[in-house]
Each structure stands twice: as C-alpha cells, then as structure tokens.
Amino acid sequence: MGTYKYPEEFRRDAVELVRSSGRPIARGADELGVNHETLRSWVRTAERADRPGAAADKDAEIARLRKQVAELEKEREILRRAAAYFAKRDEVVSRFCFVQDHRNAFGVKRLCQVLGLSRSGFYGWRAGEAARAQRAASDAELTARITAVHEADPANGSPRITAELREQGHRVNHKRVERLMRAAGLQGIHLRRKVRTTVPEPSDQPVPDLLGRDFTATGPNTRYVGDITYLPMEGGRFCYLASVIDLYSRRVVGWSIAEHMRTSLVVDALAAARRERGSLAGAVFHSDHGAQYTSKEFAAACEEAGVARSMGAVGSSADNAAAEAFNATLKRETLQGPGLKRWESTRAARLAVFSWIARYNTKRRHSANGQLSPLVYEQQAASLELAA
C-alpha cells in the first residue's frame, strides 16, 4: 500500500505510537498494517525534524530560496529592459550606456554581471564622457562644414571636400571626412552606364602610339588627349561632344558640340584649342581609332596646326583612359540627381556643358593636380617658372 494513501495525522500518530511504546518498527508496522520501510521512513523524518536547530535550518533555507528567487526576478527585469533598450544593436558601448541609464535602479555591480561587463571598463568609459561629448560636438561642427561644401557642388567626394576644408584653414584627416560623410549620407556622384561612340575605320595612314598609356606631361601645351562622347536628349536623340584636354593640368582647352559625329566635330574642337593656346605647334594629340580621328580631314588639320597625332591600340579604352575618365565625370556630374537623365534640347545640353567645363577648369579640384583646379595648377606652374 503506497504512502500517498495515509493522511498526515495517521502518520504522526503511527510515529508517536512507535516512539512512545518502544516497540520495534517491524512489530509496530505489522500492528498498524503498514509496510516496514514506510514506517521507518516516517520515524526518520520525525527524528530529523526534532533535532536542535532543524527549524532554524528550515527557515534559513526558505530565506535563501526567497532571496534567490528575488535575484532571478531582478535579472529577468534587467534583461527585459535591455532587450527593448538595445533594439538590435548590442555593442559594448550600448551596454555601457544601458548601465549608465539604469544604475540607480539595479546598481552597477549587478548590471555589469548580468550583461557580461567589467566594472572597471564601465567606469573607464564613464570617465571619458566629457571627451566623447567634445568629440561629438566637433564632429557635428565639421559635418555642417562638409555639408556646406557638398551642397555647393554635389559631385564632390571626400578627397575634394578634404582639400577644400584644408584650404579654408581646417586641419582635417580624409578618413574622418569619409566617416562623417558616410554617417550623414553624403557621397559624390557615381558613374552612369557608358555608351560606345568610337566607330573604328580602316586607315591607310598608320598612326603610332606616342604616349604608351603615360597620361602625364612635363609642361602645358605639350601633350593632349581627346575623345567623343554622347549627350542624351529627350525622345531618344543624342548630341555629341568632342574635347581636347591638356595632360599637364587636365584643363579642357578646346571642345565642340553638334548633333552629328562627322569629322568637323573633332576638327572644330582642335581649332578651339588652337585659339585658346595661341599655338599648338610641337604638341602631341592622342585619341582612339574613331573614324573622325583617322580621317584625312583631321590629319590635315593636325598637320596645319603643327600637331603630331598619336593613337592607342584598336578597341582598347585603356589606351585613352584620361579622355574616357573625363567623359564619365562630365556626364555623371551634369546629369546628377534622380530626375535628370537627359536634356530637353541641344541648347540645354550645350549650356550645361559650357557651365560645367568653366567650373571644371577654374574651380573643380583634380587629384592629378594635388587637389588644385586645372587653371590654378597652370598659374602656379607659371609663377614658379618666372621665379626660377
């Protein structure tokens, strides 16, 4: 018969009968109709309860368990608040901030234990609070200056903005500018998809490659590159831009826009460069193998201007990379913004390109010039030459 069938009162009386009469447990069990081991366990339990200090031990155990439950409840509350506080960002700094905000409610020691932090680390972080506030204020001020420079010219990325700020007298590191621009959601204008405009044509006049992908020059008016690029307009139409770029300063000294890609387009650009420089005699002009540049008409124009022609390999854009890069920059910076993807007319394209080239030559900083604009770079070179 299982012990679960005996009421508590019956068990107490059975134990009292055995203990008061001095009967052996086996005899008492037989008289009561109880299993010997069951009665023995009742007696042992009663004896333990009667020992000195048993009640105190029981009270102490109850108190310990209650304290443990209270501790677990506090930890549960800490974790509940932390889950809402972190909101999917559980960096160490966030945990330190949580400890700072809840230290009065739970205590620093407990919070650090639950969140797996060291108290010394927390107090060290707290000691640097003033320095962090100062850095945050400095970052906010610099971000405002960066935003102003970027708004003046949205094409500017971190290198040009860094150079502009340094010229204004601010001591800034380009990595800090990159970080603050990233945090503020600022960036330069990205490249757009390129459309091929070079149409090669066999020529009976082979032209050597005089640059060999060396897109530098020791002085102005000595080495030029040029190319044709399309300018998209409404209705799926295009107009075309031909440019002449000085490799010394990256200055655009000649350009021409038309609604066609006939040879006169590149001849007009070369003539504009000749007028700008006064003379191109002795200079090298490098291009791709487009039909306009391999034509007899353009060869005659170069010969008349005293210009030596140069061409890279057929089908290799890398052999005219400086001109290709200029075209890409022009289009991504003039066709900037989500709404503007083409011009409404040739006149609108011409005015936009004219305005951009004027700023490109006089204001826009170029990495090849040590973040100086082409015109300023040439002026500085002229000043140094006169001083020498």
Side-chain angles (χ1 to χ4, degrees), residues 91 98 105 136 143 180 185 190 222 258 267 296 337 381:
E91 304 91 351
F98 181 82
T143 299
L180 295 179
H190 297 295
T222 57
V267 171
K296 292 181 180 179

Side-chain angles (χ1 to χ4, degrees), residues 100-318:
Q100 174 76 358
D101 293 344
H102 295 81
R103 67 188 189 281
N104 294 330
F106 299 102
V108 172
K109 181 178 180 181
R110 184 190 303 279
L111 287 166
C112 288
Q113 287 175 342
V114 173
L115 298 177
L117 301 172
S118 71
R119 279 186 290 169
S120 61
F122 166 72
Y123 287 119
W125 172 84
R126 188 177 175 185
E129 189 171 1
R132 286 195 303 277
Q134 184 177 359
R135 283 197 300 271
S138 176
D139 282 352
E141 181 182 357
L142 183 57
T143 299
R145 297 182 185 278
I146 290 171
T147 302
V149 175
H150 187 267
E151 287 178 349
D153 185 357
N156 282 334
S158 58
R160 294 194 188 96
I161 290 179
T162 301
E164 179 69 25
L165 291 172
R166 286 174 178 171
E167 189 169 287
Q168 292 176 7
H170 304 291
R171 298 181 61 184
V172 291
N173 181 279
H174 73 280
K175 292 184 178 179
R176 186 184 180 197
V177 173
E178 288 176 2
R179 173 176 60 82
L180 295 179
M181 288 184 67
R182 189 163 50 249
L186 301 175
Q187 59 181 347
I189 299 172
H190 297 295
L191 287 169
R192 296 178 182 270
R193 182 175 61 87
K194 188 178 77 171
V195 174
R196 183 168 176 257
T197 56
T198 299
V199 181
E201 178 181 277
S203 174
D204 57 358
Q205 298 179 344
V207 177
D209 183 354
L210 302 178
L211 298 189
R213 298 188 182 181
D214 177 15
F215 301 110
T216 61
T218 57
N221 200 24
T222 57
R223 305 175 91 186
Y224 293 93
V225 293
D227 194 14
I228 298 174
T229 189
Y230 78 100
L231 302 174
M233 295 189 297
E234 297 289 351
R237 298 177 299 115
F238 297 97
C239 59
Y240 302 91
L241 167 70
S243 56
V244 180
I245 305 165
D246 192 316
L247 285 177
Y248 176 72
S249 61
R250 298 306 196 268
R251 181 181 173 186
V252 182
V253 296
W255 58 280
S256 176
I257 289 180
E259 294 182 347
H260 61 78
M261 285 200 301
R262 294 191 291 272
T263 302
S264 58
L265 178 68
V266 297
V267 171
D268 289 346
L270 186 68
R274 188 177 180 183
R275 289 193 298 272
E276 176 67 23
R277 289 303 195 191
S279 172
L280 299 177
V284 172
F285 179 82
H286 184 84
S287 68
D288 57 28
H289 284 260
Q292 300 84 356
Y293 293 112
T294 58
S295 67
K296 292 181 180 179
E297 184 181 348
F298 184 71
C302 288
E303 184 176 359
E304 181 185 353
V307 172
R309 290 191 298 157
S310 170
M311 291 185 182
V314 176
S316 175
S317 61

